[in-house]
Amino acid sequence: MDAIDSEILRLLRDDGRLSWRDLGAAVGLSANAAAERVRGLRAAGVISGFTAQVDPAAGGRMLQALVGITLAPGVDSDDFAAQADRLEPVIEVLHLTGAPDYQLRVACRDTAELDALLRLLRVRHGAADTDTTIILRSGPPAIG
């Protein structure tokens, strides 16, 4: 990797939908050369894929929370992670060292949906205990 590859990665993190022409122009390469660089970064495993960033609030999921999960004895960790990842409100599943076993980032429509999710995690998916923290805002602090 060189400075051009690093700049390509920075630009793609900011906007993964840049055209090859715009990407090449931003780093001083032709569109074909920029495309070839990106293909090389993918082949090397530096770029593992492309995703869409979705704003849960735009879909009505205004309440975000972090839910610490301690699994009940005998619950398979990998099974829990796979099941939790398929739940609609779950944005991210993090397997942790120490306690709790997992942390889920969730986006719910309201507290009733959050409550239903917590019950589901305990009753069906093997959570022995949950510890929930509501997210007031994320990102840099608001100025003004």
Side-chain angles (χ1 to χ4, degrees):
M1 268 205 13
D2 61 15
I4 292 175
D5 289 337
S6 294
E7 182 64 5
I8 287 172
L9 292 174
R10 186 190 69 74
L11 290 165
L12 290 176
R13 276 193 303 270
D14 289 344
D15 182 0
R17 294 182 50 112
L18 274 175
S19 69
W20 298 132
R21 182 180 55 107
D22 291 343
L23 182 62
V27 296
L29 297 174
S30 69
N32 287 338
E36 189 57 36
R37 289 280 188 133
V38 172
R39 281 192 283 279
L41 291 166
R42 290 197 71 195
V46 176
I47 296 174
S48 59
F50 295 90
T51 61
Q53 292 182 333
V54 178
D55 181 0
R61 296 184 173 279
M62 304 295 288
L63 178 69
Q64 288 198 37
L66 301 174
V67 181
I69 305 286
T70 301
L71 297 177
V75 173
D76 182 271
S77 176
D78 292 336
D79 287 345
F80 172 82
Q83 291 173 22
D85 193 47
R86 287 192 292 268
L87 298 172
E88 187 177 354
V90 175
I91 296 171
E92 185 175 24
V93 177
L94 301 168
H95 191 196
L96 309 174
T97 61
D101 299 310
Y102 281 90
Q103 184 170 60
L104 307 180
R105 184 181 183 114
V106 302
C108 298
R109 288 178 185 83
D110 51 30
T111 57
E113 185 179 35
L114 177 59
D115 182 48
L117 174 65
L118 295 175
R119 287 183 214 214
L120 181 68
L121 289 166
R122 285 193 291 275
V123 172
R124 283 210 188 146
H125 298 292
D129 188 41
T130 61
D131 182 33
T132 304
T133 303
I134 302 293
I135 299 170
L136 297 177
R137 89 174 146 240
S138 63
I143 299 175

